[in-house]
């Protein structure tokens, strides 16, 4: 089992940047494909970005492509989400998620395929 703790959320003006971190504890971090999701008030949780076990493969939702970057440091058991040029529509609670995979280069974009979730960190972008 792995425990996930997000940090780095907060209030930022439109056009600003934030970097979210997700620290993992428990079993070997490099065994897990990782993802970021978000849930805005009154909306369903949606996929944001995913990264493979090795970090060599990434995938983004169209709404954040070119603005957000997902990365991981397996030595530090941490996955990051660098968010640039933030927009008010990025306002949401951001969750990191993990799922154990055999394949090293695969990314996981589907919510139900993730087994472990953090508690979320709120991001508010003011206009």
């Amino acid at each position: 089992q792995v425990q996930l703790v997000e940090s780095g959320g907060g209030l930022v003006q439109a056009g600003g940047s934030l970097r979210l971190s997700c620290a993992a504890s428990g079993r070997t971090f490099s065994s897990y494909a990782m993802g970021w999701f978000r849930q805005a008030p009154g909306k369903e949780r949606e996929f944001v970005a995913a990264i493979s076990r090795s970090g060599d493969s990434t995938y983004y939702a169209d709404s954040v492509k070119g603005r957000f970057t997902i990365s991981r440091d397996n030595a530090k058991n941490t996955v990051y989400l660098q968010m640039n040029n933030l927009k008010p529509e990025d306002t949401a609670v951001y969750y990191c998620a993990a799922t154990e995979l055999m394949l090293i280069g695969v990314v996981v974009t589907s919510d139900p395929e993730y087994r472990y979730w953090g508690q979320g960190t709120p991001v508010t972008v003011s206009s």
Side-chain angles (χ1 to χ4, degrees), residues 63-122:
S63 58
V64 306
K65 199 172 297 181
R67 301 188 296 121
F68 290 11
T69 302
I70 188 171
S71 62
R72 67 189 294 162
D73 185 337
N74 285 345
K76 295 183 178 180
N77 287 6
T78 302
V79 63
Y80 304 98
L81 186 68
Q82 178 67 43
M83 306 186 295
N84 297 330
N85 190 21
L86 282 160
K87 304 176 181 180
E89 51 264 42
D90 295 318
T91 295
V93 177
Y94 284 72
Y95 299 89
C96 74
T99 191
E100 195 166 15
L101 287 182
M102 292 296 292
L103 298 175
I104 296 176
V106 173
V107 295
V108 179
T109 63
S110 173
D111 189 311
E113 293 188 71
Y114 281 95
R115 182 174 181 184
Y116 303 104
W117 293 84
Q119 83 289 347
T121 185

